[in-house]
Amino acid sequence: MKFGILTSGGDCSGLNAVIRAICLHITKNMKDAEIVGIPDGYGGLIRGESYPLRREDYENIVGLGGTILRTSRQPYKLMAVSENDGPTRLQRMCENYKKMGLDCLFTLGGAGTHKTAALLCMEGCNVIGLPKTIDNDIYGTDITFGFQTAVEVATDAIDRIRTTAASHSRTMLIEIMGNKAGWLTLYAGIAAAADMILIPEIPFSVDAVCDFLAAERAAGKTTSIVAVAEGAVLASEAKFKKSERTFVRTERGESTVTKHLAEIIGERTGYETRTDVLGYLQRGGTPSAYDRLMASRLGGYAAKLALAGKFGVTAAVSGNRITFNALAEIAGKYKLVDPNGDIVNFAKGIGISFGI
Ligand code: F6P
């Protein structure tokens, strides 16, 4: 059999551990198996590029960040668009899947990658997805690989920011990745004892934010830490689509929600307020031991599914078990933070504000 592997969308820690585990499981359990890497995610498949993955390519990569296959973003909405009256990207990918002689394609990616993977399945390709993203927002899995490392990085960053904030008696707003889902901000915020956590799932009120911070200062607090998801929204903007929100913000001359909010907080409370955007630090670097283990388990399991001929699925974590979901059932759905769920209620119970 011939197997292809690609990594698609934003990278994260653990991608290489998955690649390694897939390769090791297949080569250990099937003689004469051929494994190829497809570079740049779906981009490489569209162009029809692949190269053999040899043992020396993958044996020492379990602790390596990024992806040895490289990645790219190929928007789902462009898959059915034909270029210069030629075949669509989807058609080109299906043709190249056949030309390469693949029996199975592993797609390591997030929610967008899974949507395209489901399309490929519908066109007759044998695909197995793997749940990657620091956002932890893939439907049907308790956890995605890459998330836990990002939580560690963001927590460590907030810890560091806290010491300088304390020296200067400042209010610090720390922007954490996550456009649709606030998992990363929520987990790192709780772990690093943030006073306030602002996430897309719980639109906040500027008045509530300022009142809470002012009340804390009045009660004797000298430093305030606010963890803000990059996709956090004001209650007044919640009804808008993302594009409309971006337009309105640009019209108002705002750069990001974090900067905008920091200015208002500074003006209204009178305390020195600063922002810090953690950005790509959260995606880069060495995967945690947890992510190496989780990614390896998911990779080995996906390879096992492939050898059993179980396609059109994505590996997933449920409790402490590795399992699978049908791609057709989970594609296009997101797993978001439940504003009334246990973890949010717990956080509120220990005094963390969500700006409402
Ligand atoms: O992959 C998820 C993610 O890291 C989001 O949290 C973030 O909004 C986005 O990717 C950034 O994407 P890009 O790498 O395209 O700037």
Side-chain angles (χ1 to χ4, degrees):
M1 280 176 84
K2 186 168 179 184
F3 304 85
I5 309 178
L6 63 80
T7 54
S8 165
D11 75 339
C12 71
S13 293
L15 284 163
N16 288 326
V18 174
I19 295 167
R20 171 178 172 271
I22 291 174
C23 294
L24 288 176
H25 188 96
I26 289 175
T27 50
K28 187 161 171 45
N29 291 285
M30 180 178 267
K31 273 206 174 116
D32 304 327
E34 237 185 295
I35 310 176
V36 294
I38 296 166
D40 304 326
Y42 289 125
L45 192 57
I46 292 167
R47 299 191 300 269
E49 289 171 18
S50 68
Y51 59 90
L53 282 175
R54 298 151 310 163
R55 190 159 182 127
E56 60 266 37
D57 295 323
Y58 58 78
E59 66 182 354
N60 292 319
I61 61 173
V62 73
L64 187 66
T67 160
I68 58 162
L69 298 175
R70 301 196 309 275
T71 184
S72 67
R73 289 196 187 278
Q74 296 290 333
Y76 172 77
K77 57 179 182 238
L78 297 183
M79 287 300 161
V81 177
S82 114
E83 283 155 8
N84 307 322
D85 287 337
T88 64
R89 291 180 187 193
L90 179 63
Q91 286 164 336
R92 279 159 62 189
M93 287 197 289
C94 292
E95 276 164 24
N96 288 328
Y97 174 95
K98 284 188 198 122
K99 271 193 208 153
M100 287 176 195
L102 295 180
D103 296 295
C104 171
L105 174 66
F106 295 98
T107 56
L108 284 54
T113 302
H114 282 10
K115 280 207 278 183
T116 298
L119 279 184
L120 287 168
C121 290
M122 276 163 42
E123 297 300 318
C125 303
N126 294 331
V127 182
I128 298 179
L130 285 118
K132 160 243 75 164
T133 169
I134 65 165
D135 294 347
N136 196 32
D137 60 354
I138 297 183
Y139 187 83
T141 183
D142 292 350
I143 196 123
T144 55
F145 60 87
F147 173 64
Q148 210 265 349
T149 305
V151 171
E152 295 288 340
V153 171
T155 302
D156 178 62
I158 301 174
D159 284 347
R160 286 169 188 274
I161 288 167
R162 177 185 297 284
T163 65
T164 161
S167 308
H168 292 264
S169 307
R170 282 176 174 156
T171 296
M172 296 293 302
L173 275 69
I174 299 129
E175 186 174 301
I176 294 171
M177 276 188 169
N179 246 318
K180 288 194 178 64
W183 293 108
L184 183 52
T185 309
L186 181 63
Y187 276 45
I190 294 173
D195 303 289
M196 178 177 283
I197 296 174
L198 304 177
I199 56 175
E201 294 90 336
I202 308 179
F204 66 89
S205 131
V206 172
D207 289 342
V209 167
C210 294
D211 289 351
F212 175 84
L213 295 173
E216 282 213 314
R217 294 284 185 147
K221 215 163 186 311
T222 56
T223 310
S224 306
I225 301 288
V226 185
V228 189
E230 65 174 328
V233 281
L234 280 87
S236 57
E237 298 176 333
K239 58 182 180 301
F240 296 133
K241 282 194 198 137
K242 192 179 167 220
S243 53
E244 293 166 340
R245 211 154 48 223
T246 309
F247 177 77
V248 172
R249 285 179 184 172
T250 315
E251 287 285 291
R252 286 201 299 241
E254 291 161 23
S255 43
T256 63
V257 68
T258 314
K259 290 232 164 69
H260 175 60
L261 186 58
E263 273 169 32
I264 300 176
I265 292 172
E267 276 163 24
R268 290 218 201 154
T269 66
Y271 292 107
E272 270 191 356
T273 305
R274 298 281 193 274
T275 59
D276 217 317
V277 179
L278 301 188
Y280 297 93
L281 278 178
Q282 296 159 99
R283 291 215 316 231
T286 307
S288 66
Y290 178 93
D291 264 335
R292 295 181 200 196
L293 176 65
M294 187 54 76
S296 301
R297 284 180 72 192
L298 285 162
Y301 181 82
K304 201 169 152 189
L305 289 175
L307 298 186
K310 182 83 188 154
F311 305 118
V313 294
T314 177
V317 183
S318 173
N320 194 29
R321 279 182 50 244
I322 308 289
T323 178
F324 65 86
N325 293 308
L327 270 168
E329 271 167 33
I330 60 130
K333 297 183 190 163
Y334 286 90
K335 180 188 70 183
L336 302 178
V337 174
D338 176 0
N340 301 307
D342 281 356
I343 185 117
V344 171
N345 284 333
F346 149 73
K348 285 181 181 168
I350 59 167
I352 296 175
S353 166
F354 286 83
I356 47 176

